[in-house]
Amino acid sequence: MVPGTAPSRAPVTRRRAIASLVALTATTAGGTIAFQAAHAATPYETGIGEQRRIALQDGSSLLLDATTRVRVIATAARRRLWLAHGRIDLTVAALTVPFTIDAGQGT
């Protein structure tokens, strides 16, 4: 190396460029699928002083207290609930698929 010059970098090979592109594509696709799954959930909401009982597709039932907002996916293959705010009473149907609940930050 000549003093005062930047070190030379190894040339980017076609194989390395293709591998990087494949990794980027897989990461983007995975993120897109996760985003779509979260937003494909059915939203439920109650207003001030309102309560609402919901029978879910998997046999579970959900009671939403006043001013509650949730999104739910409840099928035989996947069961997940996102609690945006409020309070719920959930009766979970006995299936082998776990029922995952995301309650955000202290809601």
Side-chain angles (χ1 to χ4, degrees):
M1 177 163 76
V2 178
T5 61
S8 63
R9 295 173 49 182
V12 176
T13 64
R14 182 181 183 129
R15 181 176 288 171
R16 180 177 280 170
I18 290 172
S20 296
L21 182 60
V22 168
L24 177 64
T25 302
T27 302
T28 303
T32 301
I33 290 168
F35 179 80
Q36 288 176 344
H39 292 282
T42 304
Y44 297 102
E45 187 171 357
T46 55
I48 296 172
E50 176 187 7
Q51 289 186 333
R52 184 174 173 194
R53 183 165 299 277
I54 300 157
L56 302 177
Q57 183 180 0
D58 72 335
S60 299
S61 67
L62 177 64
L63 175 65
L64 277 63
D65 201 4
T67 61
T68 297
R69 182 181 307 152
V70 298
R71 291 189 333 256
V72 180
I73 295 174
T75 65
R78 182 165 183 226
R79 306 188 309 167
R80 187 164 197 149
L81 181 141
W82 293 267
L83 176 62
H85 64 83
R87 297 186 312 182
I88 62 169
D89 181 21
L90 178 64
T91 303
V92 178
L95 298 176
T96 57
V97 178
F99 203 119
T100 305
I101 299 172
D102 292 316
Q105 299 176 355
T107 58

